Amino acid sequence: MLAKKPAADASLAGLIPAMRAIKLGVVPYAMDGRRLLLACESAPSWETMDEASVTAGRPVRAVVATSEVFAELLREVYGTTAAAMGARLGGDGGTDGLVSNVEAIEADDLHRMAEQPTLINLVNLVILEAIRARASDVHVEPFERKLAVKYRIDGLLVEQESPPKQLQAAITSRIKIMSGMNIAERYAPQDGHISLRYADGREAARKIDIRVSTVPTLYGESVVMRILDKENIQLDLATLGMREPDRVSMQKLIDLPHGMVLVTGPTGSGKTTTLYAALTKLYDPSLKIITIEDPVEYELAGVNQIPVNPKRGLTFADGLRSILRQDPDVIMVGEIRDYETAEISVRAALTGHLLFSTLHTNNAISASGRLLDMGIEPFLLSSVLEGTMAQRLGRRTCRKCRVRTPLLEAQRHRLSPSEAAMFPEGQAWKGAGCDACGGTGMRGRVGFYEVVLTTPQLRAGIAKRLSPHELLAAAGPGLVTMRRDGMMKAASGETTMDEVLRATQDTDEGA
């Protein structure tokens, strides 16, 4: 069996046309004397081998390969994308009459279609290409006349070429089977999970988890797959883009024996990843660290992680009460959403625990106001809140193709005099586009941070319920806002001016 991809001769693709190869489930990849070697996912039938031999005009020999190797060879020899493969599937009649009218299909038929080898290869290829493209999510969206496939890469959705609409029911059913969902239920949202091992030939196979969600829409079920590449995540504050002064401030918070530390920002701004990096830095065998999350995104070595499960009565508040009976030293609460969770969190921080959590606010200084609005007493909050950090994410400039470029007039007029002074000679950076970044000029993401340590002046302001504007004044002129942090990174070439302006445009609201 081929467990590792062999060297393939792409010139052999002319012996068996791509459409015929996909229909037969074979890929020609090398010659053994006069004999043509064919990779197959399973032992082929005599009829398949005979047809392949007649088509190629020479003797053939089948070699069974793993699904991953077969998909790699298919891609290399035929230069196929998932969409092109889907077009062949839909165009040559090899789908046994798949139809797009989902309501007319029985569950048994869905099973039959979803288990066809060619359809399995198509869905596998969609997932593998998403992992190769560093996508965080795969969206499969049904519309009236097409089935859209989109990858979220570096925070932005990038549409791929669409598979044929008639494959919609089969593709959706295949994903639901892989994630353990009920394929007969098409009118209610479902959640599932896929685990796989991925290797690109340059490194050892690594475990990847995929969270799958489906919701019924007007033209069928919309599917979103969240890709969690656990072994490839960088849980290091410097790697995430935090500057040295902010790392020093974070270290002060991490070293505290007790108190509350909050990270704020909108959904998808990297709050949980920052907290994971802090817990990783904090970890010591002498400490009992417990988290409660919805859901647990990455497994942390040496940390007890609890997934929220409202269906079984395990909410943030209930889980937090139980955690306090587990003799913890450090607690992480995935998100403070309501008064009950906030109140228990504050009391936990008051009674000798170091507690980390997240909130949805536009900036760091507004976090205390949000908790006060939930009903927390000002004197309690001022006693336990040790620091707040706000963050946003922007795309990184590709290091291989970035070049200096003059600031545009539309950019200049949005800069303050102190910000404009960061760009000598009016020059910023942008990515020209290369193979490494797929021609986008951007590769990866970097954080823009705002770290506020709670000073005596801020404690007094929180106790008096001062407004965010007044608290900002109490913080002093030394506060580096997310926007200014981003401008520093744009000036050094880590990101672009447009990314900073896009990501931080709402950060001054409420302060």
Side-chain angles (χ1 to χ4, degrees), residues 93 138 151 184 187 190 250 376 392 406 431:
V138 178
Y151 296 162
Y187 306 106
Q190 294 189 67
M250 277 299 292
I376 300 301
R392 296 291 187 276

Side-chain angles (χ1 to χ4, degrees), residues 6 27 45 52 82 184 200 222 232 235 363 368 380 398 402 421 432 441 477 490 503:
V27 179
S45 66
D200 61 5
S222 172
N232 208 35
L235 294 178
N363 48 51
S368 59
L380 287 177
C398 177
R402 65 182 181 181

Side-chain angles (χ1 to χ4, degrees), residues 1-139:
M1 173 178 281
L2 292 175
K4 186 176 180 181
K5 188 184 79 64
D9 184 355
S11 66
L12 298 176
L15 295 177
I16 302 180
M19 196 163 12
R20 181 64 58 85
I22 292 171
K23 181 178 179 181
L24 296 175
V26 301
V27 179
Y29 69 93
M31 294 295 298
D32 181 12
R34 289 190 61 252
R35 196 177 294 270
L36 178 64
L37 299 183
L38 304 176
C40 312
E41 277 197 283
S42 58
S45 66
W46 180 87
E47 291 84 356
T48 296
M49 294 296 290
D50 186 54
E51 185 174 347
S53 179
V54 170
T55 303
R58 64 193 63 207
V60 297
R61 180 164 70 88
V63 182
V64 177
T66 64
S67 298
E68 292 81 5
V69 170
F70 184 83
E72 289 273 0
L73 287 172
L74 187 67
R75 180 187 179 91
E76 183 173 342
V77 172
Y78 290 107
T80 185
T81 64
M85 183 177 173
R88 295 181 185 115
L89 265 174
D92 74 343
T95 55
D96 294 337
L98 296 186
V99 293
S100 58
N101 182 5
V102 181
E103 305 216 4
I105 305 176
E106 298 294 333
D108 289 345
D109 296 326
L110 287 173
H111 263 294
R112 177 181 57 80
M113 293 186 297
E115 294 296 344
Q116 292 183 55
T118 46
L119 198 285
I120 291 172
N121 290 336
L122 169 61
V123 174
N124 289 348
L125 205 51
V126 168
I127 296 172
L128 290 172
E129 286 185 345
I131 296 171
R132 288 193 193 98
R134 302 176 296 104
S136 61
D137 301 84
V138 178
H139 292 243

Side-chain angles (χ1 to χ4, degrees), residues 240-286:
L240 295 176
M242 191 175 287
R243 295 180 305 110
E244 178 65 22
D246 288 338
R247 296 203 302 274
V248 170
S249 296
M250 277 299 292
Q251 190 61 54
K252 290 179 181 177
L253 297 174
I254 289 171
D255 290 339
L256 290 171
H258 52 77
M260 175 184 278
V261 179
L262 299 175
V263 180
T264 77
T267 300
S269 61
K271 303 185 297 295
T272 303
T273 301
T274 298
L275 285 181
Y276 280 170
L279 292 181
T280 300
K281 197 172 183 62
L282 177 69
Y283 173 72
D284 185 279
S286 64

